[in-house]
Amino acid sequence: PIPNFGEVLGSVKWEQTRRDIFEILVPYMRSRGVTTFGMVGFCWGPRVIARACAENETFSAGVNFHPSWEAFDMHGDKPFELAEKIKAAQLYCTAGNDNKNFKEGGQFTDILRKNLGDKLELVDYPNMMHGWVNRTPTNKPEIEKEAADAIERGLAFLNKYL
């Protein structure tokens, strides 16, 4: 049987993810000559980006595609407190039905804007639905076009800050 998706994601604890990132991945990448780091996340991934960037200055940039506010809620995170601590440049590409906190004028992004200034970029795709970037149906050219635009923006953002 396939486990409940929410239960699986809810079982992934930050402490283990944190160890995987900062005690395994980053040291390995540094041993290979990597000197600057960025993160890319889809849906629940922006929660990991926020947590990592709030507690450690290893990362220079985070690219967040169609972020899920529910990911913060499920884990009992305090996203507004996390936003206060984030120093890395951030790009949020949101769909029309994504939570307003990730959009211009949202409480979360207002805090980020105060701390990051022009190192925060917000791009809303009002005609897209949550998940459009990595779940693009190939028979829908308008969705494919917007997904390609978001990916190009993400790559340009990483190139700018890394």
Side-chain angles (χ1 to χ4, degrees):
I2 298 173
N4 177 293
F5 186 65
E7 288 176 18
V8 171
L9 290 175
S11 71
V12 178
K13 303 299 179 208
W14 171 244
E15 294 75 25
Q16 181 60 50
T17 304
R18 183 192 178 291
R19 280 192 298 276
D20 292 346
I21 293 169
F22 294 112
E23 295 176 22
I24 298 171
L25 180 63
V26 170
Y28 173 77
M29 296 301 291
R30 283 191 171 134
S31 78
R32 307 292 292 178
V34 177
T35 58
T36 57
F37 296 86
M39 297 181 88
V40 176
F42 302 83
C43 188
W44 290 57
R47 173 197 175 250
V48 174
I49 294 172
R51 292 291 307 250
C53 291
E55 73 173 60
N56 191 301
E57 294 187 21
T58 297
F59 295 94
S60 301
V63 174
N64 305 269
F65 295 113
H66 46 81
S68 171
W69 194 256
E70 292 77 12
F72 291 102
D73 290 341
M74 176 175 275
H75 291 276
D77 291 331
K78 295 178 171 55
F80 304 123
E81 291 178 18
L82 292 174
E84 292 279 358
K85 298 174 184 173
I86 294 172
K87 303 286 185 262
Q90 300 291 310
L91 168 65
Y92 281 86
C93 292
T94 55
N97 64 335
D98 283 331
N99 189 289
K100 66 182 179 183
N101 273 297
F102 295 118
K103 299 179 183 208
E104 197 68 59
Q107 186 177 352
F108 183 79
T109 54
D110 281 351
I111 295 167
L112 287 175
R113 175 78 63 209
K114 181 182 77 172
N115 294 332
L116 300 177
D118 63 357
K119 291 188 344 183
L120 172 66
E121 293 183 24
L122 305 173
V123 182
D124 190 39
Y125 294 82
N127 297 322
M128 296 296 104
M129 298 296 285
H130 180 82
W132 95 100
V133 176
N134 60 331
R135 296 186 302 207
T136 301
T138 56
N139 63 340
K140 304 270 186 182
E142 65 280 2
I143 299 174
E144 190 173 352
K145 178 180 176 267
E146 297 285 36
D149 181 76
I151 291 168
E152 287 299 318
R153 285 177 187 268
L155 290 171
F157 189 83
L158 291 173
N159 282 326
K160 180 177 180 179
Y161 289 102
L162 301 184

